Amino acid sequence: MQVLVEAPQHSGLTGPLDYLADQALPPGTLVRVPLGRRTVTGLVWDAPTADADAWAADQLKPVAEVLPDLPPLPPTWRQLVRFASAYYQRSLGEIAMMVLPPELRQLDAVQWGRRFKRLTKSLAQPPAATDAPEVLPDLTPEQQTVLDALAPSLAPGDAEPAPTTYLLWGSTGSGKTEVYLRQADRALQAGRQVLLMVPEINLTPQLEARVAARFAGRNIVSLHSGLTPAQRLRNWMLAHLGLADIVLGTRLAVFTPLPRLGLVVVDEEHDPSYKQQDGARYSARDLAVYRGQLEKVPVLLGSATPSLETWFNALPQAEGGAGRYQRLTMPSRVGQGAMPRVRRLDLSREPKPRPGQEAPPLAQALLDAIAERVARGEQSLVLLNRRGYAPVLQCSDCGWKSECPQCSAWRVFHKVDRTLRCHHCGLTDRVPRACPNCGNLDIHPLGRGTEKLEEQLAAALPDARVGRIDADVTKLKGALEDRLASVHAGEVDILVGTQMVAKGHDFRRITLVAAVNPDAALFASDFRAAERQFALLLQAAGRAGRDASVAQGSEMWVQTWHPDHPLYAALARYDYEFFAQQQLKERQMAGLPPYAHLAMLRAEGKTQEAAQGFLVEAAQLVEALAAELGGILLYPPVPTAVQRVANIERAQMLIEAESRPALQRLLARATDDWLALAHQHRPRGLVRWAVDVDPLAI
């Protein structure tokens, strides 16, 4: 029989291996098989082939054991794995094993038998019921209209099946979550399971609490990397056995086997966190759409700022779109609250600091506006998407800067623990007492991070209580929840934060949001930079004025050197539709997604020459094939934006195609040749290589 085992891309084992078994095992069964000197977990993939008898018994190793009491993984799950493997150019075994709970892959049959008995006892305990069901909020007319449009998607037996993919385009605070919960309730009432996906772990606890309150008495499980291996295995088993009613998870949850799946929700579908950035570089959002089509269940993509690919797919063909999705809109906020007024503050008109003086963190007008909010007992959010105290330390005499010796990047100064920390490779050192080059004692920070901004705001507004939320202060378990609780309790007047606090949080007391340094993304080389920046700023603006009683006076301040930039003009009107229209025109003229289809061949080597040498020969191998298929352009290899990380040089080659099928045919036929080429280049310094289909950044 054919069995999938975990095999990395460079091994060359892209498909199932053949083994002998003394009994017929259905596809999807988990087994333990010998692989070299080890015994590993494998997955029975397909039924025996017609020529199976041609193999001599002594040529194949036998299956060691079968994991008992575990139902086979269903055909639709295996088809999802097969599609992900083919589309993202990874081996079947790598995908199939990667998406299973790590602990499940490590247990033998005896260990699994014991674990399953313990799991069965815990699974037999029903969730605690409540005598006081949650009082449902009244629906807005827009919410009701959307739910009416979604109702046919769950009705069985229709002669014409309803569209399976919907874009719920609703402004921040419009009540998209309530729509998710009402539609989930419909699926649960029909005896189905619900998969609810969120982009980041830090958004999970807040939504989990709301889901738990709404569906008390139902089995609700979470699946994300913050769980212990035992918790993840238990929750996965609940889902696989059909005992979990709602699965709430991050991108890996898209592969959860759900025998009664009835609805898939992808919240904040535009978020780049849905795209895996290492290993198998899959997009959980795109796989969710495929899974909905495969299992014939509705998929609900929600966002206030949809990705341009999703927006294009939801545009009718008459308006130049693909017309693949049905668009549902909710432009108004719940309670008729108004979006904050956007004020663009022109930094070119601010007084210039004296020589040797540092510019203040915020313009005086903005500081006065925040002080006014503090005096009224309201809260303000100051957004700076750069953690640490300062991006770099510099010597005033010789010009030395805190460069990372292992990366082509600066080490960030963190004042709290007096360290220089590389955010790429993690190299950390104590701050030197003097310049390492010339011994000068005057080394000072350049630029500003959230840590410094917090300090400066506390000094400028001594009567205000300033708090900070970023990755540095939320490392410990429960730290994020504690800091969010203090904000909700009104114990913080000014919250300084990165993008972590710009989306998904319902801050009722915040009436002012300020973006400190938003210009950095306006002229970036990445073609998605403007799209990401607009989404971040609009999501941040949505944190203000969520309480209708104070919404009328809420404001969004943008400190910028380019107040007339079209991005800020569209933001001031909250006109995402106009912004998307202009961006799509630019993409079409430039031949960029969604009007073209991209793949990135990435290489890492001990030297830049080794990395680019592999890419040059890889391009030569497929030049004739690209010409044969037509409409495919191979760009010359170039170093990545951060060229060296942890003493490994990185380079990339962009492949652009007019047709997605043509791109997939080229990659499918080229991968084996590239694998053989990589083996030839390893002695020359090649470390690793990978194909990134539909890359987020170039």
Side-chain angles (χ1 to χ4, degrees):
M1 62 179 53
Q2 295 185 319
V3 177
L4 288 181
V5 296
E6 187 168 12
Q9 187 80 357
H10 60 76
S11 68
L13 301 177
T14 57
L17 304 180
D18 293 296
Y19 288 89
L20 285 176
D22 55 7
Q23 59 178 319
L25 297 174
T29 301
L30 282 171
V31 295
R32 299 279 293 175
V33 295
L35 183 67
R37 299 180 179 179
R38 301 177 296 144
T39 300
V40 300
T41 299
L43 179 70
V44 178
W45 192 239
D46 288 318
T49 56
D51 60 347
D53 293 338
W55 291 99
D58 59 355
Q59 290 181 289
L60 298 180
K61 294 181 179 180
V63 170
E65 52 191 8
V66 180
L67 295 190
D69 304 314
L70 187 64
L73 291 158
T76 51
W77 183 90
R78 300 198 304 276
Q79 177 56 32
L80 179 66
V81 168
R82 183 180 285 110
F83 172 81
S85 167
Y87 187 83
Y88 294 106
Q89 304 299 319
R90 309 297 294 194
S91 70
L92 269 170
E94 180 187 13
I95 296 286
M97 294 296 108
M98 174 194 73
V99 302
L100 295 177
E103 199 165 18
L104 181 61
R105 305 197 301 262
Q106 297 166 3
L107 300 175
D108 61 26
V110 175
Q111 293 168 329
W112 167 249
R114 294 172 185 159
R115 180 62 58 86
F116 187 77
K117 287 182 180 178
R118 293 200 298 270
L119 282 170
T120 305
K121 290 181 181 179
S122 64
L123 300 181
Q125 299 175 359
T130 178
D131 297 328
E134 183 185 28
V135 178
L136 299 183
D138 294 332
L139 293 173
T140 66
E142 291 174 359
Q143 288 173 324
Q144 188 61 61
T145 300
V146 166
L147 286 166
D148 290 343
L150 289 171
S153 67
L154 293 174
D158 290 344
E160 290 293 330
T164 57
T165 304
Y166 300 84
L167 168 61
L168 178 55
W169 176 41
S171 68
T172 56
S174 62
K176 294 187 292 296
T177 302
E178 184 61 30
V179 172
Y180 303 156
L181 299 181
R182 296 288 181 111
Q183 190 68 3
D185 186 57
R186 287 173 172 172
L188 296 177
Q189 295 297 333
R192 312 296 291 275
Q193 293 172 291
V194 175
L195 174 60
L196 177 53
M197 296 175 60
V198 293
E200 297 179 25
I201 293 173
N202 63 47
L203 296 180
T204 305
Q206 179 175 307
L207 184 58
E208 189 174 20
R210 188 165 175 186
V211 171
R214 175 64 58 88
F215 299 109
R218 294 279 191 176
N219 259 321
I220 304 166
V221 300
S222 294
L223 283 172
H224 53 74
S225 59
L227 300 174
T228 66
Q231 289 172 329
R232 184 170 165 188
L233 176 59
R234 179 187 181 276
N235 292 351
W236 184 89
M237 279 299 301
L238 276 168
H240 178 43
L241 296 175
L243 300 176
D245 297 308
I246 299 177
V247 174
L248 179 63
T250 49
R251 61 175 175 258
L252 195 59
V254 74
F255 288 101
T256 307
L258 296 159
R260 298 184 290 110
L261 182 62
L263 173 68
V264 179
V265 176
V266 184
D267 190 26
E268 307 290 359
E269 64 82 27
H270 66 276
D271 198 288
S273 298
Y274 282 120
K275 180 70 186 289
Q276 175 86 2
Q277 293 299 323
D278 53 20
R281 293 168 167 84
Y282 65 90
S283 167
R285 178 200 64 203
D286 295 347
L287 289 180
V289 172
Y290 175 80
R291 186 171 185 178
Q293 296 169 348
L294 179 66
E295 304 202 37
K296 296 180 174 57
V297 300
V299 178
L300 189 54
L301 308 175
S303 177
T305 53
S307 66
L308 287 181
E309 285 83 357
T310 297
W311 182 260
F312 176 78
N313 283 326
L315 272 180
Q317 293 182 348
E319 299 178 24
R324 297 189 184 97
Y325 305 162
Q326 181 175 336
R327 189 174 71 193
L328 309 171
T329 61
M330 296 197 309
S332 305
R333 293 185 124 181
V334 173
Q336 300 304 311
M339 288 292 288
R341 173 194 173 195
V342 176
R343 300 186 60 169
R344 288 170 279 178
L345 198 156
D346 189 352
L347 289 176
S348 64
R349 298 186 178 182
E350 291 297 306
K352 302 294 187 293
R354 294 178 181 177
Q357 283 188 336
E358 186 179 19
L362 303 179
Q364 189 59 48
L366 179 51
L367 275 175
D368 293 342
I370 293 176
E372 183 182 337
R373 305 281 169 170
V374 173
R376 295 208 303 253
E378 299 171 5
Q379 294 174 318
S380 300
L381 169 63
V382 182
L383 176 69
L384 176 60
N385 204 23
R386 176 182 285 164
R387 60 190 175 99
Y389 189 86
V392 62
L393 279 186
Q394 182 182 32
C395 172
S396 57
D397 279 359
C398 71
W400 168 88
K401 292 184 176 67
S402 54
E403 186 177 5
C404 176
Q406 299 183 162
C407 307
S408 51
W410 308 114
R411 281 187 290 174
V412 177
F413 172 42
H414 290 258
K415 188 175 181 181
V416 170
D417 55 4
R418 302 290 299 176
T419 59
L420 292 175
R421 200 179 308 163
C422 179
H423 291 175
H424 296 280
C425 71
L427 180 66
T428 300
D429 283 324
R430 300 291 298 172
V431 174
R433 295 179 179 273
C435 173
N437 280 358
C438 68
N440 176 34
L441 295 176
D442 184 17
I443 52 176
H444 56 274
L446 289 179
R448 181 183 294 112
T450 50
E451 192 179 326
K452 184 176 183 180
L453 181 58
E454 178 189 22
E455 178 185 282
Q456 291 178 322
L457 284 173
L461 300 170
D463 295 331
R465 297 166 295 176
V466 184
R468 173 165 57 99
I469 294 181
D470 57 27
D472 292 326
V473 297
T474 56
K475 292 178 182 178
L476 300 178
K477 185 177 178 61
L480 175 62
E481 290 77 5
D482 291 342
R483 294 202 172 231
L484 288 174
S486 66
V487 177
H488 290 301
E491 298 168 2
V492 174
D493 298 316
I494 305 171
L495 175 61
V496 176
T498 58
Q499 62 177 350
M500 287 178 64
V501 296
K503 53 194 174 185
H505 300 291
D506 190 15
F507 298 124
R508 309 301 294 180
R509 304 176 189 225
I510 287 180
T511 59
L512 184 146
V513 174
V516 175
N517 183 26
D519 289 345
L522 294 182
F523 309 105
S525 58
D526 185 2
F527 72 93
R528 297 185 197 271
E531 176 187 357
R532 285 197 293 264
Q533 185 72 342
F534 187 87
L536 176 63
L537 294 177
L538 194 145
Q539 293 282 340
R543 298 318 105 201
R546 298 177 78 87
D547 187 340
S549 63
V550 295
Q552 297 303 322
S554 60
E555 293 179 329
M556 166 73 168
W557 288 65
V558 180
Q559 280 197 169
T560 173
W561 293 94
H562 308 279
D564 297 326
H565 193 281
L567 186 150
Y568 298 136
L571 178 68
R573 302 189 305 268
Y574 292 107
D575 194 348
Y576 172 82
E577 193 165 4
F578 174 79
F579 173 78
Q581 182 183 21
Q582 297 305 309
Q583 286 290 303
L584 286 176
K585 285 181 181 178
E586 292 180 13
R587 299 271 185 96
Q588 189 171 24
M589 288 188 294
L592 291 169
Y595 301 99
H597 308 280
L598 306 180
M600 190 75 78
L601 183 60
R602 306 185 190 273
E604 299 180 7
K606 296 178 181 178
T607 64
Q608 187 65 212
E609 291 74 18
Q612 291 202 33
F614 166 76
L615 295 177
V616 168
E617 292 193 35
Q620 293 170 351
L621 285 175
V622 296
E623 282 177 350
L625 178 58
E628 175 188 334
L629 293 171
I632 296 178
L633 181 60
L634 304 174
Y635 286 82
V638 294
T640 58
V642 181
Q643 181 172 323
R644 188 178 78 258
V645 172
N647 287 324
I648 296 295
E649 294 284 339
R650 309 190 301 174
Q652 60 189 22
M653 180 182 73
L654 182 64
I655 306 172
E656 178 185 307
E658 297 175 0
S659 148
R660 193 186 303 274
L663 177 62
Q664 283 292 315
R665 283 196 289 271
L666 179 132
L667 295 176
R669 292 169 61 178
T671 300
D672 288 342
D673 291 337
W674 288 342
L675 180 63
L677 180 66
H679 284 298
Q680 298 173 18
H681 274 261
R682 289 196 189 283
R684 307 180 205 172
L686 180 70
V687 175
R688 64 182 70 90
W689 68 283
V691 177
D692 186 0
V693 181
D694 300 334
L696 281 188
I698 60 173

